Amino acid sequence: AQSVTQLGSHVSVSEGALVLLRCNYSSSVPPYLFWYVQYPNQGLQLLLKYTTGATLVKGINGFEAEFKKSETSFHLTKPSAHMSDAAEYFCAVSDAGGFKTIFGAGTRLFVKA
Amino acid sequence: NAGVTQTPKFQVLKTGQSMTLQCAQDMNHNSMYWYRQDPGMGLRLIYYSASEGTTDKGEVPNGYNVSRLNKREFSLRLESAAPSQTSVYFCASVAAATNYGYTFGSGTRLTVV
């Protein structure tokens, strides 16, 4: 069985500060890992993904995440927050087939001016 | 623009009424999914269709039925709506057997009174 835990339902940072959103997963098979972003009243949008290969993956809008198998983690980072980054972020895990992608509960990011 | 289209965007139902949520994708994707989103619970899978002609239950299928009408369309039906089904419903699709990330619709906000 697979599961995802996002640490912190709310994270608040100042504009220009580092963004760090934490995600830990469990999976009995090699995982595919994803971060999605949801802006208010919109659907989810794929931010980045890890499938195989390089463990540091870069996504849109300057975000990146690192797959650490030993720590079962896939934390999302951005060096400098922008007001437009305020949204809800979801970590997700699936196997290669992807028929049952499991989503975390989400972390809402607030960016203060 | 290519993508996943959901209708309606908003709906209010009385307890016991029925309705069908429509979803269509024009990306020639094989697999389609229905999720519900509730505060603090992330997204939970209701039903999915791995390919045209097949459907399977997800995590929370009770009270719902689905139809994969053709490769493009995947509908979700509530036969007798209950207040517990008040939620935001998202349809998603993915191209092939390997999950490189879902494309989501913009959602249907359903309120059952």
Side-chain angles (χ1 to χ4, degrees), chain A residues 11-104:
Chain A
V11 170
S12 182
V13 300
S14 298
E15 192 173 22
L18 172 71
V19 175
L20 172 60
L21 304 182
R22 300 178 186 274
C23 173
N24 288 90
Y25 71 92
S26 67
S27 179
S28 57
V29 298
Y32 279 28
L33 295 160
F34 307 85
W35 277 98
Y36 289 85
V37 60
Q38 184 181 33
Y39 298 103
N41 300 314
Q42 295 186 25
L44 280 71
Q45 177 184 355
L46 182 65
L47 199 56
L48 51 78
K49 61 182 180 286
Y50 168 79
T51 54
T52 58
T55 57
L56 180 64
V57 293
K58 296 184 184 298
I60 61 173
N61 301 334
F63 285 93
E64 63 182 34
E66 186 171 11
F67 168 57
K68 292 187 176 181
K69 184 177 179 180
S70 61
E71 299 177 8
T72 61
S73 69
F74 191 58
H75 302 329
L76 181 69
T77 61
K78 182 175 181 178
S80 177
H82 192 272
M83 297 296 289
S84 61
D85 294 327
E88 189 155 23
Y89 293 80
F90 293 91
C91 183
V93 62
S94 78
D95 57 14
F99 295 140
K100 292 189 178 182
T101 297
I102 305 300
F103 287 83

Side-chain angles (χ1 to χ4, degrees), chain B residues 17-93:
Chain B
Q17 287 185 319
S18 63
M19 79 161 295
T20 299
L21 282 64
Q22 306 288 352
C23 175
Q25 53 88 11
D26 58 5
M27 298 169 287
N28 202 35
H29 285 176
N30 287 318
S31 302
M32 298 183 73
Y33 308 83
W34 277 105
Y35 284 88
R36 59 177 290 173
Q37 182 180 26
D38 301 290
M41 303 187 72
L43 279 76
R44 292 181 292 168
L45 182 64
I46 305 171
Y47 271 93
Y48 66 99
S49 172
S51 61
E52 185 179 357
T54 68
T55 60
D56 284 285
K57 295 179 180 179
E59 181 185 357
V60 289
N62 291 343
Y64 305 95
N65 286 300
V66 291
S67 295
R68 183 74 182 267
L69 304 171
N70 48 55
K71 191 171 186 178
R72 291 186 62 247
E73 299 172 287
F74 188 38
S75 63
L76 178 71
R77 183 161 178 83
L78 287 70
E79 292 290 352
S80 179
S84 61
Q85 293 178 305
T86 293
S87 187
V88 182
Y89 292 85
F90 287 100
C91 178
S93 68

